[in-house]
Amino acid sequence: MRTEAPARRRRHARLVLALTELVGACAEAAAAVYRPIAEAPSTAEGVAVNRWPIISLAMTAAQRLDAADAEDAARWPRAVERELAGSQASFQARCAAAEADLVVSGLDPATPDGAPGTVPLPSAPQLAAMGLAGAGADLLEALDADPHEGLTLLRELTASGEYTAGEILDDATHTASVAGCLILQSAQRNEDPSGAAEQALAAARQFAYAVSIASLDMDNELPAQVKG
């Protein structure tokens, strides 16, 4: 019986495949706009183009990614259990750190500071959740600037036990994937076909970035897409 944790590219194989297919689909959708223009006679004053592939992608991309993620989870139930256990432990560590910070600062998240229009401060669990989102965003920024610096940051973030590498990478993968979906939704509303095609290609870059992060293991060599 296999008990070791799978490599991330295997653990997230269906998601990686779905993201890769979206990269190609985005390129094809952009080509549906550019191809008629390229094939039209130079004397043509107006060219009919097909925006439907972009619209279709915008409507289905998120669902395709959600389905792939669910399929991966079903394929690796023991890995999911380990990930949940690790995430719960790191979440408790972040909550404890947040509570300590609140005590040191003398702030009470249960009550506003009394000023008109104020709201209660975030609770320790809310701060813990925000911390993970911030760590994922910091990793994306670091990887974009220098992939090796990104891995260094990942090791630093996990050293305290407040984060696991997997949950930070998963959050960063999700952020890049959502960014691609949002760009496609913007392209769907873009009445300029060429502008919509450019946005489809921008979405493809986000999906390709998500593939690199989803495949990234701390102890392995950087994937080619992340090396730059």
Side-chain angles (χ1 to χ4, degrees):
M1 180 182 296
R2 184 173 54 203
T3 59
E4 69 275 9
R8 283 182 57 80
R9 63 175 49 88
R10 291 198 66 201
R11 164 67 179 86
H12 299 289
R14 297 289 174 88
L15 177 62
V16 168
L17 174 60
L19 287 164
T20 303
E21 290 174 342
L22 284 174
V23 171
C26 286
E28 285 297 323
V33 173
Y34 292 135
R35 187 176 294 111
I37 298 173
E39 294 176 349
S42 59
T43 55
E45 295 185 0
V47 179
V49 297
N50 184 10
R51 291 179 59 247
W52 173 247
I54 295 175
I55 296 171
S56 177
L57 272 178
M59 295 171 62
T60 60
Q63 291 88 339
R64 290 166 67 172
L65 296 178
D66 286 343
D69 197 39
E71 290 171 6
D72 279 328
R75 295 177 71 209
W76 298 99
R78 287 188 174 83
V80 172
E81 291 176 3
R82 283 191 293 265
E83 291 162 3
L84 287 175
S87 295
Q88 289 171 356
S90 64
F91 180 75
Q92 292 302 322
R94 293 197 303 278
C95 284
E99 288 172 355
D101 289 341
L102 289 170
V103 170
V104 170
S105 64
L107 298 175
D108 183 359
T111 58
D113 62 12
T118 59
V119 295
L121 296 170
S123 64
Q126 289 171 331
L127 289 170
M130 292 163 59
L132 177 58
D138 290 344
L139 178 63
L140 280 174
E141 184 177 351
L143 286 172
D144 187 53
D146 182 344
H148 294 280
E149 179 182 332
L151 283 187
T152 299
L153 174 62
L154 184 58
R155 293 187 176 95
E156 291 174 352
L157 289 169
T158 57
S160 66
E162 293 182 14
Y163 303 96
T164 68
E167 66 184 347
I168 295 176
L169 289 167
D170 287 348
D171 187 86
T173 300
H174 178 73
T175 298
S177 300
V178 169
C181 291
L182 290 176
I183 293 172
L184 282 177
Q185 290 177 13
S186 178
Q188 179 185 14
R189 298 188 297 269
N190 195 337
E191 296 182 359
D192 174 21
S194 294
E198 291 172 6
Q199 288 179 299
L201 294 177
R205 287 192 290 273
Q206 290 294 326
F207 293 138
Y209 197 19
V211 168
S212 298
I213 302 168
S215 304
L216 187 59
D217 280 302
M218 280 184 64
D219 298 328
N220 295 342
E221 185 180 4
L222 288 171
Q225 295 114 312
V226 178
K227 289 180 182 178

